[in-house]
Amino acid sequence: MLKLGKNKSVLSISAAVFRLLLDVSYLNVISVKYEYAGFKLNFSIDHYALSWLFYLGCLLFVKDRLLRVSDYFFITALLSVIAPLTSLFGLDSTRPIFPVLVVMLSIFVIYSITRVRLLSFTRLPVVRNGRRMAIFISSLFVTFLFAWYYIAGVKFNLDLSKVYEFREDNAELSSKGLLAYTNNWTYKIFNIFLIGFALHYKKYWLVLLLVCVQIYFFAATAHKSVLFLPLMVLGIWFYFKKTNSLVIIPIVFSGIILTTLASYYLLGDIWLSSLFSRRVFFVPAHLTFVYFDFFSNNTQVFWSNSVLSRFITYPYDTSISHVIGHYLGKENMAANNGFIASGFAHAGLFGVFLYSLIVGLILRFINDVTRNLMPIWLAVGLCIVPLRNLLISSDLFTVMLTHGFIAALILIYLARTNREFI
């Protein structure tokens, strides 16, 4: 393992290289091919220098080793949210500074909550036979859904190019009412939980079986993300069981952007740049600016579309994401974004602060209840999908309920043991 000081230096340099590669991609590909979609180039040395000052300052939030789940959250926030956001701000001087400052403040609030000594969940008791309960509950949901898809008569499909032909019809057959939630929990949380523990107990035959079950779930749901979830858990297990260094994450991200640039320059191919550089990194960052622009000048929602719907009238005819899609001139587009933009859409700065407070408390809870009671890679594997959705694509309450983050927190709490991770 790298020495601590050296490891931190390598991580910082790797993170800086990733940001630089994003800049190169934006300068030479994204702003050239997708200017019509709002990705304009208006270079100002003052903006660009300030963007790097912001980005390098945010390295203070990042640790070089994975000791807590929050350590994974902050490195992901730096690379997936702050890097593309500051890159856009630095290369397009028409972008306002306000959203960048709010995002940084949000991350600072979350960081402070995870580090403050006055708050602790470490005294919460370990549930007797809790791990068995968690495994039983997960197995029950997985078994039910496996049977239910067959009973519901969904049409199974393994062709990635035809997923949109099956998705809506299969959802109509199998995901009505409460099942719309529990089905999501099953293939995003419960089966992933079982795969993680099968890896932990070295039951590799069971891992293979559960991966096959996940492929079956993909064939029924027609959601490509379902197919790749086990790969994410396997990657976390394979890497973090050997080392706790986080340097690999910016290196992998840099490798992805380098691949898109090589594909563009050597093969004249725009597809990889569109899929990764644009869609994964710059579109969420662009939408953050759009959300702040729209809801700074129009009525905020105040959770009238969810938890306060009985008390406040929702001011728009369509969902928030479709309102933003319409604002961008695309009538049928659902422009989803992460919890910071969503919090601002609900209640401005108060909404961002409230969401940041809740996210900070959730991360502190996970940090405390898993400390010395669960392998860190396993806790990260259970949280990786909800945390990513939280950062770039979904409202906090949507992640908690629809995407199953609540279910993941319950499983984590139940699955702890003080018997050397047995």
Side-chain angles (χ1 to χ4, degrees), residues 268-373:
D269 173 58
I270 192 66
W271 183 76
L272 285 179
S273 291
S274 176
L275 180 64
F276 291 105
S277 298
R278 184 186 68 89
R279 184 67 189 88
V280 174
F281 294 106
F282 285 117
V283 166
H286 174 60
L287 288 178
T288 297
F289 286 105
V290 174
Y291 267 72
F292 274 76
D293 176 56
F294 181 86
F295 287 103
S296 292
N297 299 288
N298 293 277
T299 304
Q300 291 164 351
V301 175
F302 294 102
W303 296 280
S304 57
N305 62 337
S306 56
V307 294
L308 297 181
S309 60
R310 294 186 179 182
F311 308 101
I312 304 175
T313 301
Y314 183 65
Y316 301 103
D317 296 330
T318 58
S319 67
I320 292 175
S321 60
H322 282 92
V323 167
I324 297 300
H326 176 76
Y327 183 61
L328 291 171
K330 300 179 180 180
E331 296 292 335
N332 297 318
M333 183 177 76
N336 295 300
N337 208 273
F339 78 96
I340 297 175
S342 180
F344 191 83
H346 283 292
L349 289 177
F350 172 76
V352 175
F353 176 77
L354 178 62
Y355 273 10
S356 301
L357 180 64
I358 295 173
V359 172
L361 289 172
I362 290 171
L363 288 172
R364 183 57 185 262
F365 171 81
I366 298 171
N367 287 347
D368 288 350
V369 301
T370 57
R371 184 179 180 183
N372 298 324
L373 298 173

